[in-house]
Amino acid sequence: MDLLWVLSVSMLTACVAIPMDAAAGSHSLFTCEPITLRMCQGLPYNSTFMPNILNHYDQQTAALAMEPFHPMVNLQCSSELRMFLCALYAPVCTEYGRMTLPCRRLCLQAKSDCYKLMVMFGVSWPQEMDCNRFPDCEEAYPRPVDLLSSSDTTESPINVQRDYGFWCPRELKIDPELGYSFMGVRDCSPPCPNMYFTREELMFARYFIGVVSIVCLSATLFTFLTFLIDVSRFRHYPERPIIFYAVCYMMVSLVFFLGFLLEDKVSCNAASPGRFRASTVTQGSHNKACTLLFMVLYFFTMAGSVWWVILTITWFLAAVPKWGSEAIEKKALLFHACAWGIPGVLTVSLLAMNKIEGDSVSGVCFVGLYNMTTLRWFLLVPLGVDVVVGVALLLAGIAALNRVRMEIPLEKENQEKLVKFMIRIAVFSVLYLVPLLAVLACYLYENSYRTIWETTWVQEKCRDYHIPCPYQVEQTSRPDLALFLIKYLMMLIVGIPSVFWVGSKKTCFEWASFFHGKKRKDGMVNESRQVLQEPDFAQLLLRDPNTPIVRKSRGTSTQGTSTHASSTHLAMLDEPPSASTSRAGSVRSAARSKMSSYHGSLHRSRDGRYTASSFRAADDRLPYGSMPRLIDQSQSRHCSTNRLDSLSRHSSTQRLESQSRHSSVRDLSGAPQAVLGVPRNGIHRVLEEDGATA
């Protein structure tokens, strides 16, 4: 009973579920070898080939699988059972590599003869030995033609001239429920560490990626912290997408840095020597850490590219149709929906298709490393579309700005500002496009040569893994480590251009003030930024000269309104001391002239305060016939002249100096826009900030 139970279990586990028709087309260049199996000695043929029909890669493996069948053969329940088992485990080797299967009659005879014994002990016929899998014929095994072709194979092996494709080695086999695949074979995974590079090369690559990720993480983190120090600096479009762009690549750099720390603990499955399993690359979503790294890395990589496209869209809207910051900001919800929604849909799609792959070079998990279909549709196509759309909008915007520079007469200062702004856009775009195009070129190169690399690897490792070797290999090639290093380098430094955009004197001043614990501006300018805002420039041009400028509080102002006073103050801080002194002198002289004219028109009210004569109330005027009261008031005024003269001069001086300073700053900040002669839009506001940070 125990013997038959062991026999039945062994029959179910030893046979691999491979269709016979598929197995007939799955071998490759292998050689015939003498039969060493004890059960198959003394047969009409004495040579076989490996791997056999049941996917045993050598005769030692086949002997272990056949060992439980010895008691059944010894019981002689069927005279055909021994030949039938040898036809499966040690098939006859033919000259042309043609796999000869036993006839269906032989299978049915062995099954019917041993059926009663199997039913008695509750043993079922293995599904892998289903007789319907074998050809319907009446010939005995082996056929005479097979014996003629293999009669001289005992002394010298014969090379089989036929290509049967890739067979997954036993060491790389994976449980079927995990859904792995490698080189078109299911339940198989690439070896880990990387199948192309040595351990020394992988160690160098890992440290290289770690250093570059730290540099990129520092650069993008600096951009983000600069934004946190002065949030209002990037409050409006078209500059706002630069912050989201920097945040995306900050997360990308962080994931690569984590991969450097984790090495291959997440990207590779641990080896299992007891099950004859080697370390393999992680695939699918069963590994939660690998899935998390993939989601963050892929999502923010795609989101960063989409935010760059949105940045070019906002530049285009500000330059070509002359949209203002308010009009562009009304589309902010649509921008965010596209920037976060499109990468989210792509990420969820890859998770649903179970296309996650571990990267044993960088230690992270990504997509398109071994599956060329996902590489084309989820990396090459999205990034290619982003490049085409972004470059088209960028060129259109730069052409529009250049046309404005050539056609509209501007002062030399404004001409220089516009040229500097165009140069910033061009340099920022080049610093982004060059790395991105390099990454696309690396992906295209991998897509073209991946098959050759895999064939070369199989040719080098087929004898070690006891798998069929490739037949008639026309070209062999191994990937260069420099190609992968360039790919990872360009994937990371693509986030560094954000530092170029924030790099200015204004940034240095803000960081210096932050480290010294001082406020960024003095009290007067800081109050003007927090409480007051300048009116729209178009309204400023159309207003009546005698109408006072009405300032709006920050709580009721529209978005996109810039503060000219603060920008002018920052520009004055960057000027030489002589220019600042002359400007301050002009402000003080204007204040003194207004103070003298204002002080002469002051009158005293009933409560003892001095007010201007033009604003005296009706009840403060003297009635007819009240001369004594007027005399008394004149005497009292004469007596208190010395005392109140200093008080009124002091209060009026402070008031007039404040008014003259606000008026002068407003006039200075409005001057550049008066020269432009066009309504304010996003580009004009950027030019104002450029003038302040120059």
Side-chain angles (χ1 to χ4, degrees):
M1 178 68 180
D2 295 338
L3 178 62
L4 291 177
W5 181 83
V6 173
L7 174 63
S8 62
V9 173
S10 302
M11 292 176 63
L12 291 173
T13 57
C15 300
V16 180
I18 299 178
M20 298 303 175
D21 295 338
S26 300
H27 281 79
S28 181
L29 180 62
F30 49 88
T31 60
C32 294
E33 55 187 73
I35 296 178
T36 59
L37 298 177
R38 184 180 59 178
M39 184 184 297
C40 299
Q41 297 293 329
L43 295 177
Y45 63 95
N46 57 3
S47 63
T48 185
F49 60 85
M50 290 291 159
N52 58 21
I53 299 174
L54 299 178
N55 205 18
H56 299 126
Y57 304 104
D58 51 29
Q59 293 193 58
Q60 291 80 3
T61 306
L64 292 176
M66 290 185 68
E67 194 68 28
F69 292 91
H70 281 276
M72 182 173 285
V73 174
N74 294 333
L75 289 176
Q76 297 181 352
C77 62
S78 174
S79 60
E80 305 291 345
L81 179 61
R82 176 170 173 263
M83 180 58 67
F84 176 69
L85 293 175
C86 290
L88 296 180
Y89 286 90
V92 60
C93 184
T94 62
E95 181 179 359
Y96 301 103
R98 177 173 52 86
M99 183 179 295
T100 302
L101 298 177
C103 293
R104 187 179 302 172
R105 182 196 60 81
L106 184 63
C107 176
L108 293 174
Q109 184 66 38
K111 182 178 180 180
S112 60
D113 292 344
C114 299
Y115 179 75
K116 294 182 179 179
L117 185 62
M118 296 175 65
V119 171
M120 183 182 300
F121 295 102
V123 179
S124 59
W125 189 260
Q127 185 179 0
E128 291 76 16
M129 296 182 180
D130 187 5
C131 296
N132 294 325
R133 297 174 178 266
F134 303 104
D136 188 7
C137 59
E138 298 294 333
E139 298 178 350
Y141 190 88
R143 299 177 179 84
V145 63
D146 299 332
L147 294 176
L148 291 176
S149 61
S150 61
S151 58
D152 58 344
T153 60
T154 304
E155 299 299 331
S156 60
I158 297 177
N159 291 333
V160 182
Q161 304 299 317
R162 184 176 178 181
D163 188 7
Y164 291 94
F166 172 70
W167 279 39
C168 182
R170 179 182 60 177
E171 293 84 351
L172 305 182
K173 281 286 186 177
I174 302 297
D175 296 335
E177 62 270 12
L178 297 179
Y180 282 30
S181 65
F182 175 51
M183 294 181 62
V185 179
R186 299 185 61 182
D187 306 330
C188 189
S189 183
C192 199
N194 193 270
M195 55 191 287
Y196 303 123
F197 307 115
T198 63
R199 291 188 178 273
E200 291 75 15
E201 291 175 332
L202 292 176
M203 184 64 66
F204 173 78
R206 181 169 290 114
Y207 277 97
F208 176 82
I209 296 171
V211 171
V212 176
S213 64
I214 293 174
V215 173
C216 184
L217 180 62
S218 302
T220 52
L221 185 61
F222 172 79
T223 303
F224 182 63
L225 294 179
T226 302
F227 165 73
L228 294 181
I229 291 176
D230 186 8
V231 180
S232 61
R233 184 175 176 183
F234 296 92
R235 180 177 299 159
H236 311 292
Y237 290 86
E239 299 93 341
R240 192 60 177 270
I242 297 177
I243 299 303
F244 299 113
Y245 166 89
V247 170
C248 290
Y249 284 100
M250 180 179 67
M251 298 301 298
V252 170
S253 305
L254 180 61
V255 172
F256 275 105
F257 179 68
L258 292 177
F260 165 71
L261 298 178
L262 295 172
E263 297 181 348
D264 57 358
K265 295 181 178 64
V266 175
S267 59
C268 297
N269 296 316
S272 179
R275 302 177 59 189
F276 301 99
R277 299 286 176 83
S279 178
T280 56
V281 172
T282 303
Q283 296 184 34
S285 57
H286 68 93
N287 190 322
K288 299 302 183 290
C290 182
T291 303
L292 181 61
L293 290 179
F294 157 76
M295 292 175 60
V296 176
L297 180 58
Y298 183 79
F299 177 82
F300 283 104
T301 299
M302 293 293 106
S305 62
V306 176
W307 273 118
W308 181 79
V309 174
I310 294 175
L311 183 63
T312 59
I313 292 174
T314 56
W315 281 342
F316 175 82
L317 294 176
V320 178
K322 303 296 187 299
W323 282 29
S325 298
E326 297 87 350
I328 298 177
E329 196 158 356
K330 290 180 180 178
K331 306 296 182 181
L333 183 60
L334 178 61
F335 294 155
H336 282 275
C338 294
W340 307 121
I342 295 176
V345 171
L346 294 175
T347 304
V348 172
S349 300
L350 289 170
L351 289 173
M353 294 188 296
N354 209 31
K355 296 299 182 181
I356 305 173
E357 297 170 344
D359 186 0
S360 57
V361 178
S362 63
V364 302
C365 292
F366 203 52
V367 64
L369 301 173
Y370 300 96
N371 192 318
M372 295 297 100
T373 302
T374 55
L375 172 64
R376 299 185 192 103
W377 292 105
F378 288 90
L379 285 177
L380 289 176
V381 172
L383 294 178
V385 171
D386 290 345
V387 169
V388 172
V389 175
V391 170
L393 295 173
L394 180 67
L395 294 178
I398 293 179
L401 289 179
N402 186 61
R403 186 168 57 252
V404 170
R405 184 179 65 87
M406 300 297 294
E407 295 179 357
I408 299 179
L410 301 175
E411 289 185 355
K412 182 178 180 181
E413 180 182 359
N414 295 321
Q415 284 275 5
E416 293 177 354
K417 289 181 181 180
L418 186 58
V419 170
K420 289 181 179 179
F421 178 70
M422 293 172 62
I423 293 175
R424 289 180 70 188
I425 293 178
V427 174
F428 179 83
S429 302
V430 168
L431 292 177
Y432 174 81
L433 287 174
V434 170
L436 182 59
L437 291 176
V439 171
L440 288 175
C442 292
Y443 284 144
L444 289 173
Y445 187 81
E446 285 188 42
N447 181 67
S448 302
Y449 285 87
R450 173 70 69 174
T451 303
I452 299 176
W453 297 343
E454 292 174 346
T455 303
T456 303
W457 174 79
V458 173
Q459 187 180 33
E460 294 176 353
K461 299 294 183 181
C462 61
R463 302 188 186 278
D464 297 335
Y465 283 124
H466 303 285
I467 60 175
C469 297
Y471 171 63
Q472 291 183 350
V473 179
E474 299 179 356
Q475 181 181 1
T476 60
S477 175
R478 293 179 61 87
D480 191 357
L481 181 63
L483 173 69
F484 285 80
L485 295 182
I486 291 175
K487 181 182 72 172
Y488 293 118
L489 175 65
M490 295 304 169
M491 288 179 65
L492 289 168
I493 68 171
V494 74
I496 295 181
S498 60
V499 179
F500 169 79
W501 191 265
V502 300
S504 63
K505 293 181 181 179
K506 184 177 181 180
T507 300
C508 297
F509 178 76
E510 289 176 347
W511 276 98
S513 301
F514 173 77
F515 283 119
H516 286 82
K518 299 179 181 179
K519 293 185 178 180
R520 192 168 53 87
K521 300 177 180 64
D522 59 5
M524 182 270 296
V525 178
N526 192 29
E527 182 181 359
S528 67
R529 289 200 60 171
Q530 295 180 358
V531 180
L532 302 177
Q533 285 190 346
E534 291 294 333
D536 188 72
F537 183 69
Q539 298 179 2
L540 185 63
L541 291 177
L542 299 177
R543 71 178 179 87
D544 184 39
N546 297 324
T547 304
I549 296 177
V550 179
R551 298 175 179 266
K552 299 178 181 180
S553 65
R554 182 173 298 271
T556 59
S557 61
T558 58
Q559 295 181 354
T561 306
S562 62
T563 306
H564 302 290
S566 59
S567 300
T568 305
H569 179 70
L570 289 175
M572 292 174 62
L573 290 175
D574 292 335
E575 290 180 354
S578 59
S580 302
T581 305
S582 61
R583 182 172 298 178
S586 62
V587 172
R588 286 195 298 269
S589 62
R592 284 195 297 268
S593 62
K594 292 185 178 181
M595 178 191 68
S596 60
S597 61
Y598 185 81
H599 178 65
S601 61
L602 295 176
H603 295 273
R604 185 182 182 186
S605 60
R606 288 184 177 181
D607 56 358
R609 293 181 300 176
Y610 278 75
T611 58
S613 60
S614 59
F615 294 97
R616 293 176 65 187
D619 56 354
D620 290 337
R621 299 176 182 176
L622 294 176
Y624 180 77
S626 57
M627 183 62 68
R629 183 179 179 182
L630 181 61
I631 293 174
D632 295 337
Q633 289 179 354
S634 300
Q635 291 177 355
S636 62
R637 184 185 302 113
H638 178 71
C639 294
S640 60
T641 297
N642 295 331
R643 180 171 53 87
L644 294 178
D645 183 68
S646 59
L647 178 62
S648 62
R649 183 183 297 110
H650 179 70
S651 60
S652 60
T653 300
Q654 290 182 343
R655 186 185 304 112
L656 288 175
E657 283 183 350
S658 176
Q659 292 180 357
S660 63
R661 185 180 296 109
H662 280 284
S663 177
S664 300
V665 172
R666 183 179 65 244
D667 295 339
L668 289 173
S669 61
Q673 294 181 359
V675 175
L676 289 174
V678 293
R680 294 177 63 236
N681 56 13
I683 296 298
H684 295 142
R685 192 182 56 73
V686 174
L687 292 178
E688 292 172 5
E689 293 186 357
D690 288 343
T693 60

